[in-house]
Amino acid sequence: MFRRIKNQYLRYFAIFIYTIIIFFCAVELNFLWLFGYTPDMQDIKSPNMSVGSQVYTADGKLIGEYYRENRSPVEYKEISPSIVNALVATEDVRFYKHGGVDFFSFFTSILSTAKGDKRGGSTITQQLAKNLYSTRKRKSQGLLRHIPLVRTLVSKCKEWLTAYKIEHVYNKQEILTLYLNTVPFGNNSFGIKTATLKFFDKTPDAVTPAEAATLIGMLKATSTYNPINNPERSVERRNTVLSQMQKYGYISAAEYNNDIKLPIGLNLSYVENDSHGDSYIREAVERWLKKWCKDNDYDLYEDGLKIYTTIDSRLQQYAEEAVAEKMKMLQKRFDNIWGKKNPWRDSKGNEIEDFLLKAEQHLPIYKMLLAKYHGDTTQINQYFEKRKRMKVFTWKGEKDTTFSSVDSIKYYTRILNTGMMTIEPSTGKIKVWVGGINHKYFNYDHVNQSKRQAGSTFKPFAYLTALDNGFTPCDKFTDQPVSIKYKDGGKEQVWAPNNADFKFSYQEMSLRWAMGKSVNSITAQVTEKVGWDKVVEYAHKCGIESPLKAVPSVSLGSNDVSVYEMVRAYSTFLNKGEKIDPLLVTRITDQDGNTLQEFALKTERAISEEVAWLMLYMFRGGMEEPGGTSQALWEYPGLWKKDNQIGGKTGTSSDYVDGWYMGITKDLVTGIWVGADDRSVHFTTSESGEGSHTALPIFGSFMERVYADKESGYTYGPFPKPWTKITKSYDCPSPRISADTTATDSLEMPVDTLNNTPPPDLNQPGGNP
């Protein structure tokens, strides 16, 4: 074919052009998988920008983000002309004249590089092709990526092809907008809006020419010209950009002379300590949406979703304030009790000698050290004993200190933690989620990741079983020793629980009185009457999902459950006997506001309306019955106005390891757990460690704050009147043992704990975990 061309030079030129055409076609078609992916026209028309998702409270406050690249897209009209002018003047002065590839700049850049003045020849459109379509990433490359010079040539050809396609689909303004929304500015900032907010706390339309020059100047090398880390170099680069802007007529000489003298003028007030807004709520939402994202093929970190939660920002703030106030006091109490003594003890109070060694062995790094030092424990010990500078959590703020790894284990093992959740049963909406005392230092969520012995907060399920199987709140049992025989694993066992104060009054008590006072002996008798397997059945009916061992001690909370499960189960009583599927998210939209999914409350009948109302009446016994274990709430005068009623149940596991309080008002159910993360670390006495002295005060402080805020939407008031006809007798006032004063009641409050006699065997039901 080429032989017909008689002129030798023309023939060679034709062969050259033909070869180039064939080569570009091969690149476009990815011939024999040699060249890798090249964006087609459909890709160009539907660019897939990675946009992070945002999480909001029910009242519209941003509380967290999910992103791999922190970006927030804007439209062209929202971008200052100064930014566009700085970009064009610096990166591609012939931008408005070429069609995607500027061969003049390309060849002049080659000549400049040859002379030692290295500069790029890529147009803005070509840079957009790299940013938006990842043309140079490994996964976009074919088999020829293993040949260095050929790999570079193929990548450049792909950029040219993609750039021409972009120019064919988009106009110049749209190309600039796409570029500025995708380009990285360092500090995990992608896109011009994120950059202007992060560095100047301004939207893109409000920046000055000098600020625009600072940002555009960073594009050459985001680390080298970062105004935070390298302010002098940043000023130098900014002035270079301003010089280009003057050269091409975008600013006057006077403006240039003025702007180069200005300081950078950073405003970092928008910058968060953690760019993700990381929190217990953010992670809880991610877990909650995991299945939805998988089923609907969405990526939380790239698809720009807007997630609206049920969290009430006011109540969340009050909960966090109450937790901080009370946990700080509890930590001081705990430290005063133990002093310099190590608090890790067995059930007999003896220090666990190998505690630190086992703690070291549970750390992820221990296996690495074993391999590195070939099992040499001397070198491993030296590693753990080596002191280094670090920041640690304290209730007075972060503290710089010098700790070894062993020191750190000792320090953090003594820290008390908490989990707290509040729900509105009528709507199923979770209003408060406090997964711990500080997410940065303790990111394990104590609401639904942690499970602990529930102690006496589990007793109501025994009384519920009784009420739903023929008993009434007025039926009486005698507070006396009880011995229950049962089989566990084929072995004959005997369970003889003690009361919390190790005494028996031999007094007849109504079921309401016994539950309000949290009498172990009567709870055990009720459990024996109705069957411990039945108690397990009713707990599961109400929403407890954890496996429960069906043994007599189940009613005294010998099984591990989460705060989430307990709040859900207690909500059944306030929700007229219907179990709810708690809502943490109500709506998900795309970045344009189009609704993708709305979540509605799902309920299921668990118990009758009559029994549900009777259980609310039983819960009030904690405040109204003699010796009721909730009566420490009288110490919070802000709770007792306008005939307000509160029901609840305290709980404490063996050896005061776990303290619980479950509080119920006419609108809300709140569950709180307090304890150390390691179960061998605990309080020593009922006065210091029972639930009424650890978890209950958080509830009291929280609800005082809620009631004090008239705009919270939650007011004082009595419990609801019966929803249906009550056929069981329930109005049976208990006799007063002593003078009927709130002071006496609160002083008489017994320890509400799970105790066995003799001391619990760790392998037996009801023993300390």
Side-chain angles (χ1 to χ4, degrees):
M1 179 176 68
F2 296 105
R3 291 177 182 174
R4 296 177 183 177
I5 304 175
K6 302 301 181 180
N7 186 295
Q8 176 181 335
Y9 298 104
L10 189 59
R11 184 168 65 247
Y12 289 153
F13 180 73
I15 292 172
F16 174 72
I17 295 296
Y18 190 79
T19 302
I20 289 177
I21 293 171
I22 293 296
F23 180 75
F24 272 96
C25 289
V27 170
E28 177 70 15
L29 297 172
N30 189 18
F31 181 68
L32 295 178
W33 301 280
L34 293 171
F35 304 95
Y37 157 80
T38 301
D40 58 23
M41 291 303 291
Q42 186 58 43
D43 295 328
I44 301 298
K45 292 176 181 177
S46 304
N48 182 25
M49 276 197 297
S50 172
V51 181
S53 299
Q54 298 177 320
V55 186
Y56 295 88
T57 61
D59 44 341
K61 293 187 177 180
L62 180 65
I63 52 175
E65 296 179 271
Y66 308 93
Y67 53 79
R68 296 185 183 95
E69 297 176 352
N70 184 13
R71 72 169 87 244
S72 184
V74 291
E75 296 180 10
Y76 184 82
K77 63 183 179 182
E78 300 173 278
I79 302 172
S80 166
S82 294
I83 293 174
V84 173
N85 295 338
L87 175 64
V88 172
T90 309
E91 296 293 323
D92 188 2
V93 70
R94 290 165 52 83
F95 173 71
Y96 294 105
K97 298 177 181 178
H98 62 67
V101 178
D102 187 355
F103 288 105
F104 176 80
S105 294
F106 175 69
F107 287 115
T108 55
S109 71
I110 292 176
L111 292 174
S112 297
T113 302
K115 294 177 181 179
D117 180 22
K118 186 177 180 180
R119 65 181 180 86
S122 294
T123 65
I124 289 174
T125 314
Q126 286 175 255
Q127 294 178 49
L128 174 62
K130 287 188 288 186
N131 293 338
L132 197 55
Y133 301 101
S134 306
T135 54
R136 293 201 179 190
K137 286 190 177 180
R138 184 179 179 88
K139 68 179 183 179
S140 299
Q141 297 173 355
L143 298 176
L144 292 177
R145 69 176 181 271
H146 301 292
I147 307 174
L149 291 177
V150 175
R151 178 178 64 220
T152 303
L153 176 62
V154 170
S155 296
K156 182 59 69 174
C157 289
K158 281 200 232 177
E159 284 173 21
W160 288 347
L161 287 169
T162 306
Y164 278 122
K165 293 174 188 175
I166 290 173
E167 292 272 353
H168 179 75
V169 172
Y170 299 104
N171 62 38
K172 292 293 185 178
Q173 286 189 359
E174 291 170 334
I175 291 170
L176 288 169
T177 305
L178 280 170
Y179 178 86
L180 288 168
N181 278 328
T182 56
V183 70
F185 286 89
N187 290 76
N188 199 26
S189 301
F190 289 78
I192 191 64
K193 183 177 180 180
T194 304
T196 57
L197 286 170
K198 181 162 285 190
F199 292 106
F200 298 108
D201 195 23
K202 291 182 177 180
T203 53
D205 61 340
V207 297
T208 65
E211 291 166 344
T214 300
L215 294 171
I216 297 303
M218 292 174 64
L219 299 180
K220 184 175 181 179
T222 55
S223 297
T224 303
Y225 300 114
N226 186 300
I228 299 174
N229 302 326
N230 297 302
E232 292 181 0
R233 289 184 177 180
S234 178
V235 168
E236 182 182 330
R237 178 63 182 163
R238 177 200 67 181
N239 292 346
T240 299
V241 175
L242 288 170
S243 175
Q244 288 291 102
M245 294 175 72
Q246 183 204 3
K247 178 180 178 180
Y248 293 107
Y250 292 117
I251 58 173
S252 66
E255 288 175 310
Y256 168 75
N257 291 326
N258 178 68
D259 287 351
I260 61 173
K261 299 174 185 177
L262 295 173
I264 294 178
L266 293 180
N267 183 348
L268 305 179
S269 58
Y270 180 80
V271 179
E272 302 171 2
N273 290 330
D274 187 317
S275 58
H276 289 66
D278 219 351
S279 66
Y280 296 107
I281 297 173
R282 176 186 171 278
E283 292 197 354
V285 169
E286 183 173 7
R287 291 192 299 272
W288 202 85
L289 287 177
K290 185 176 181 180
K291 185 178 184 301
W292 181 87
C293 287
K294 183 179 179 180
D295 292 346
N296 294 276
D297 195 25
Y298 280 102
D299 188 326
L300 205 55
Y301 286 81
E302 294 191 349
D303 289 338
L305 305 177
K306 293 187 183 296
I307 302 152
Y308 297 91
T309 70
T310 59
I311 298 296
D312 186 308
S313 64
R314 289 174 180 271
L315 269 62
Q316 181 70 23
Q317 177 186 339
Y318 299 148
E320 291 174 359
E321 288 173 354
V323 162
E325 173 195 1
K326 297 303 181 182
M327 290 302 294
K328 182 178 181 180
M329 294 169 57
L330 287 171
Q331 189 64 55
K332 186 176 181 181
R333 180 196 303 172
F334 183 86
D335 292 339
N336 287 338
I337 289 171
W338 286 106
K340 295 183 178 181
K341 295 185 295 183
N342 293 327
W344 37 90
R345 308 278 166 152
D346 60 23
S347 61
K348 296 180 180 179
N350 301 316
E351 183 177 341
I352 302 171
E353 297 296 334
D354 60 350
F355 177 85
L356 292 176
L357 176 60
K358 287 185 176 179
E360 291 172 6
Q361 292 173 346
H362 280 113
L363 294 175
I365 197 173
Y366 193 84
K367 287 184 179 179
M368 295 171 58
L369 294 174
L370 276 175
K372 180 179 180 180
Y373 297 122
H374 306 289
D376 187 340
T377 55
T378 301
Q379 292 191 68
I380 294 174
N381 289 338
Q382 288 175 351
Y383 173 87
F384 280 108
E385 293 290 347
K386 184 179 180 180
R387 295 169 69 84
K388 49 188 176 289
R389 297 289 300 175
M390 65 175 67
K391 290 184 177 181
V392 297
F393 166 83
T394 77
W395 278 109
K396 295 180 180 179
E398 284 187 333
K399 177 183 177 182
D400 285 307
T401 188
T402 304
F403 268 0
S404 68
S405 297
V406 173
D407 294 332
S408 181
I409 292 171
K410 289 179 179 178
Y411 179 79
Y412 282 112
T413 300
R414 298 173 66 104
I415 302 292
L416 298 175
N417 222 310
T418 189
M420 176 179 179
M421 174 177 155
T422 298
I423 201 168
E424 185 179 72
S426 62
T427 63
K429 294 178 179 179
I430 299 171
K431 297 294 182 177
V432 165
W433 189 296
V434 181
I437 56 175
N438 184 290
H439 184 270
K440 179 178 179 179
Y441 287 94
F442 311 92
N443 53 29
Y444 190 64
D445 196 319
H446 297 87
V447 171
N448 71 343
Q449 287 185 308
S450 173
K451 294 185 179 184
R452 300 295 284 259
Q453 282 193 339
S456 294
T457 56
F458 212 83
K459 287 178 179 176
F461 299 115
Y463 292 93
L464 163 65
T465 308
L467 293 184
D468 206 33
N469 287 274
F471 290 84
T472 75
C474 296
D475 288 336
K476 294 182 178 180
F477 286 76
T478 301
D479 175 19
Q480 61 188 3
V482 58
S483 180
I484 301 175
K485 294 180 180 180
Y486 68 104
K487 283 187 177 182
D488 183 19
K491 294 182 179 180
E492 293 285 347
Q493 303 282 352
V494 177
W495 184 56
N498 229 327
N499 281 334
D501 56 3
F502 297 95
K503 298 176 183 177
F504 298 98
S505 67
Y506 294 92
Q507 186 167 16
E508 271 196 337
M509 295 182 179
S510 68
L511 291 186
R512 186 179 192 249
W513 186 4
M515 185 175 121
K517 193 177 179 182
S518 199
V519 181
N520 288 349
S521 66
I522 294 181
T523 304
Q525 293 175 59
V526 171
T527 302
E528 185 178 28
K529 285 281 188 183
V530 299
W532 38 89
D533 55 338
K534 274 283 190 181
V535 175
V536 168
E537 178 187 331
Y538 274 83
H540 284 318
K541 271 186 179 182
C542 290
I544 301 294
E545 294 181 339
S546 292
L548 302 173
K549 191 173 183 180
V551 291
S553 64
V554 65
S555 299
L556 272 63
S558 57
N559 288 285
D560 285 357
V561 293
S562 68
V563 171
Y564 178 93
E565 291 175 287
M566 291 296 287
V567 173
R568 179 190 188 187
Y570 270 57
S571 296
T572 303
F573 308 127
L574 197 58
N575 197 44
K576 303 181 180 180
E578 290 194 332
K579 178 182 71 174
I580 62 175
D581 193 4
L583 288 173
L584 183 57
V585 175
T586 55
R587 185 166 58 99
I588 302 174
T589 72
D590 61 20
Q591 57 184 315
D592 297 321
N594 300 311
T595 298
L596 302 175
Q597 182 79 52
E598 287 187 305
F599 298 92
L601 177 62
K602 296 178 182 178
T603 63
E604 180 184 343
R605 173 64 58 188
I607 55 177
S608 68
E609 290 189 4
E610 178 183 8
V611 170
W613 187 88
L614 287 172
M615 283 302 298
L616 293 182
Y617 177 73
M618 295 278 284
F619 280 117
R620 282 166 42 200
M623 291 300 302
E624 299 171 1
E625 295 287 346
T629 59
S630 292
Q631 291 177 6
L633 288 176
W634 289 123
E635 299 172 14
Y636 297 86
L639 303 180
W640 308 110
K641 298 177 181 179
K642 300 180 181 178
D643 298 321
N644 195 42
Q645 289 180 333
I646 294 177
K649 189 73 196 74
T650 55
T652 316
S653 65
S654 297
D655 299 328
Y656 317 106
V657 172
D658 307 290
W660 289 76
Y661 191 70
M662 302 296 300
I664 305 175
T665 69
K666 67 181 178 67
D667 301 305
L668 303 170
V669 172
T670 298
I672 302 165
W673 165 87
V674 172
D677 280 325
D678 194 286
R679 302 189 195 215
S680 64
V681 178
H682 48 78
F683 286 100
T684 56
T685 65
S686 61
E687 289 77 11
S688 62
E690 65 177 2
S692 62
H693 295 311
T694 59
L696 179 146
I698 296 175
F699 174 80
S701 179
F702 165 63
M703 287 307 303
E704 274 198 323
R705 287 173 162 84
V706 173
Y707 286 139
D709 183 357
K710 294 181 180 179
E711 296 182 8
S712 72
Y714 298 99
T715 58
Y716 300 100
F719 275 16
K721 294 180 179 180
W723 305 297
T724 187
K725 183 179 180 181
I726 305 302
T727 61
K728 296 177 183 285
S729 59
Y730 63 89
D731 189 10
C732 40
S734 302
R736 292 289 167 178
I737 303 172
S738 56
D740 183 16
T741 68
T742 58
T744 303
D745 282 343
S746 62
L747 288 172
E748 284 185 356
M749 185 177 4
V751 180
D752 181 11
T753 184
L754 169 59
N755 277 296
N756 294 332
T757 186
D761 180 346
L762 297 186
N763 295 317
Q764 296 298 321
N768 199 32

